[in-house]
Amino acid sequence: MARRTLRLAAIVVLLVLTMPSAAFAEYSVELVSPASGVVSGSGEVQIRVAREPLDSEVRSVRVRAARGGGDAHQLTCLSGCDTRQPVYGFAFDPRRGDPFGVGPMSNGAFQFETLVSPALGEDRNVGTLTLQLRVPGSAVSGLSTSVDDQQVRLAWSRAPEPDIDGYRVERCRGGCGGDGWSARGERLSASASSFEERVRPGTYSYRVVTIRSNGGDGTIETVSSAVTAEVEEPPAPTPDDTETPDAPGDDGDGDGDADGDAGDRDDGATGRDDDGDDGPDRDRDGDDEDGDGGTAGGSSDRSFSTSRTRTGRAPSVSFGGQRGVPALPDAADVFRGSLDYGLDDPETADARGDAPGPGDDDEVVLSAPGGSSGSFLGRLTDPNRIAVPIAGGMLMTAIGLHLWRWLRVPV
C-alpha cells in the first residue's frame, strides 16, 4: 500500500514538472507611483509586477502605448528584484511623449500595456494601466516685440501640444510685477502666432498666456516670460514739413512778384496800365481810384482791373488767371454783384464799362450802391437825366413869376 502511494506521488510530480509553466502562471501588475494616477508634468512612473510561488521568475518587463503603437520600452528594476513583487520604473514626459515615442500627448486618459518575459515560456501581456494627464501647455517661445510709429506687434512660436485651446495677450504699463496685467482683446485661436495694437507713447510690458484643456471641463494656463515695448512720441513737424504763408504781395511762387505792384496803376479812364509813369488818376474826391497803387494786387494772388465812367454806369471788373479774391479799390466805393473766379483766360473790360458781349463771358458788371442800373426807376432818379432838368425848370418858373409880379408886366 505504501509503495502504491509513493508511485502515485512520483507520477503527479513528474506530470507537474513536464507541464509548461505558462499554463498556470498568474502574473499581475499595479501602479505604484503616482498613486492617484494623475500626471501633471514630467516625472517617474513606477509599477509593481507580482507573481505566484509556482510562477517562473521574471527576466524583463517592458511597456508600450495601448493605442497608437510605438516600440516597447525596457524597464529597470528599482526594488524587490529578488522577490516575487519587484518594482520597475521609467521616466515619463507627456510633453515629448517619452518613452512611448508618440510625440506631444493630449491631456486626458492615457493607457499603456505591461509585457513580462518569464524565465520559462513566451512574453505575456499581464495588464493595462491608465494615467490621467493634466499637464499645462508649454509657454510660447521666441516672444518678441516690434514698434512702428505707435503700432506694437508681438510675435511668438506656438506651443507644441495638440490640444491647445488658444492664447491670451496681457499688457501692463511700465515694468510690471505680479499685478497690473490686463487682457488685450478676445482670446486668440490656437493657430495664432502674432498680435497687434496701437497705443499711446510710453513703456509697456507684454506676455502671452497659453490656454490648454485639462482633459475635462476646465482649462490650465501657462504664462510666458514678459517682453518690453518702448513707444516714443511722434517727431515734431520740421520747417520743411509745413508751408510758410506768402507775405503780402507775394504771388505764391516765392519770388515776391505779384500783379498789382506799387508802381502799376489803373488809368481809370481808358483801362490802360500806365506803369506809374503819369501817376494815378483821381476821382472826384481826389483819391486814387485803385487804392494805394498795388494794394489790390498785394492782398490777392489774382490780378484784376476796373473801369468806371462818370455817366452813372456801373463799373465793370474782370480778373486774370491767378488765384485769390481781390479787394475793391476803396472802402467808400461799395458795389454789389456776382463774381466768377473759375475762368482760365479772362479779358479786361473796355473803358466804358459796358455790359459783356457774347465773347466777354469773363467780364462781371457790378451795380452801384442802392442803384438799379438800366431800370426806369434808375433813370427817373438819375440827376443827370430827370431830377436836374425838372429842378431847373421849376427854378426858372419861380423866377419868371417873381419878375412878372415885380415889374407889373401886363399879361
Side-chain angles (χ1 to χ4, degrees):
M1 185 68 179
R3 290 181 179 180
R4 286 183 180 179
T5 303
L6 291 175
R7 288 178 182 176
L8 181 60
I11 292 173
V12 172
V13 170
L14 182 62
L15 290 175
V16 170
L17 292 177
T18 56
M19 290 180 63
S21 59
F24 53 85
E26 292 293 338
Y27 297 97
S28 62
V29 62
E30 64 176 338
L31 186 65
V32 176
S33 176
S36 62
V38 177
V39 177
S40 58
S42 59
E44 186 178 57
V45 176
Q46 297 180 1
I47 61 174
R48 177 182 289 110
V49 179
R51 62 184 178 89
E52 298 296 332
L54 295 180
D55 294 338
S56 60
E57 295 183 359
V58 176
R59 291 184 303 176
S60 65
V61 176
R62 293 172 297 162
V63 291
R64 68 182 179 189
R67 299 176 183 177
D71 297 333
H73 177 70
Q74 184 76 37
L75 304 186
T76 301
C77 183
L78 301 179
S79 62
C81 301
D82 296 332
T83 66
R84 294 194 303 269
Q85 295 184 351
V87 176
Y88 295 84
F90 61 93
F92 180 45
D93 185 359
R95 287 196 177 96
R96 297 169 54 91
D98 297 336
F100 301 101
V102 293
M105 307 167 72
S106 299
N107 279 341
F110 171 74
Q111 294 182 329
F112 64 93
E113 299 173 342
T114 303
L115 305 177
V116 173
S117 297
L120 298 176
E122 299 178 350
D123 293 346
R124 299 185 59 186
N125 182 352
V126 296
T128 299
L129 298 177
T130 302
L131 296 174
Q132 294 293 331
L133 305 186
R134 298 177 183 175
V135 183
S138 301
V140 299
S141 59
L143 179 62
S144 62
T145 61
S146 60
V147 180
D148 183 8
D149 191 9
Q150 292 179 241
Q151 192 81 7
V152 177
R153 185 178 190 275
L154 276 69
W156 61 84
S157 297
R158 295 187 293 266
E161 290 80 16
D163 57 343
I164 297 297
D165 283 353
Y167 303 97
R168 183 177 68 250
V169 176
E170 295 182 347
R171 187 193 78 187
C172 70
R173 192 69 179 265
C176 303
D179 300 329
W181 293 95
S182 60
R184 308 306 301 168
E186 301 293 333
R187 177 190 295 186
L188 304 178
S189 66
S191 61
S193 60
S194 64
F195 172 81
E196 292 185 14
E197 70 171 353
R198 188 172 183 84
V199 297
R200 295 181 178 180
T203 301
Y204 300 89
S205 296
Y206 288 90
R207 66 186 186 184
V208 178
V209 179
T210 302
I211 304 173
R212 186 184 189 189
S213 170
N214 64 359
D217 296 333
T219 58
I220 307 175
E221 298 183 351
T222 306
V223 181
S224 71
S225 57
V227 293
T228 302
E230 186 72 27
V231 181
E232 298 180 352
E233 291 280 354
T238 61
D240 295 339
D241 297 334
T242 59
E243 182 179 354
T244 303
D246 296 334
D250 190 355
D251 62 351
D253 58 4
D255 57 5
D257 184 16
D259 295 332
D261 295 331
D264 295 342
R265 309 199 183 266
D266 183 14
D267 182 295
T270 63
R272 176 175 51 86
D273 184 7
D274 290 341
D275 292 334
D277 296 341
D278 299 328
D281 291 337
R282 304 287 177 175
D283 58 12
R284 276 177 268 187
D285 297 333
D287 297 332
D288 180 10
E289 292 182 357
D290 289 339
D292 58 0
T295 302
S299 63
S300 171
D301 287 340
R302 187 169 187 134
S303 65
F304 73 98
S305 63
T306 62
S307 176
R308 183 176 59 185
T309 65
R310 303 180 187 276
T311 61
R313 291 179 178 271
S316 62
V317 182
S318 63
F319 300 90
Q322 303 295 325
R323 295 181 180 177
V325 179
L328 290 175
D330 196 325
D333 296 332
V334 181
F335 300 96
R336 298 180 178 87
S338 301
L339 306 181
D340 183 5
Y341 299 97
L343 300 175
D344 296 332
D345 189 16
E347 298 177 359
T348 304
D350 57 22
R352 297 175 301 170
D354 292 336
D360 297 330
D361 294 338
D362 54 339
E363 186 177 14
V364 180
V365 177
L366 305 180
S367 62
S372 55
S373 177
S375 65
F376 173 76
L377 181 60
R379 290 193 297 271
L380 182 63
T381 59
D382 188 348
N384 295 326
R385 293 174 178 242
I386 303 297
V388 171
I390 292 177
M394 293 177 66
L395 179 60
M396 294 301 295
T397 302
I399 294 174
L401 290 175
H402 282 289
L403 289 176
W404 173 77
R405 180 180 179 185
W406 291 339
L407 298 178
R408 301 290 181 172
V409 176
V411 180

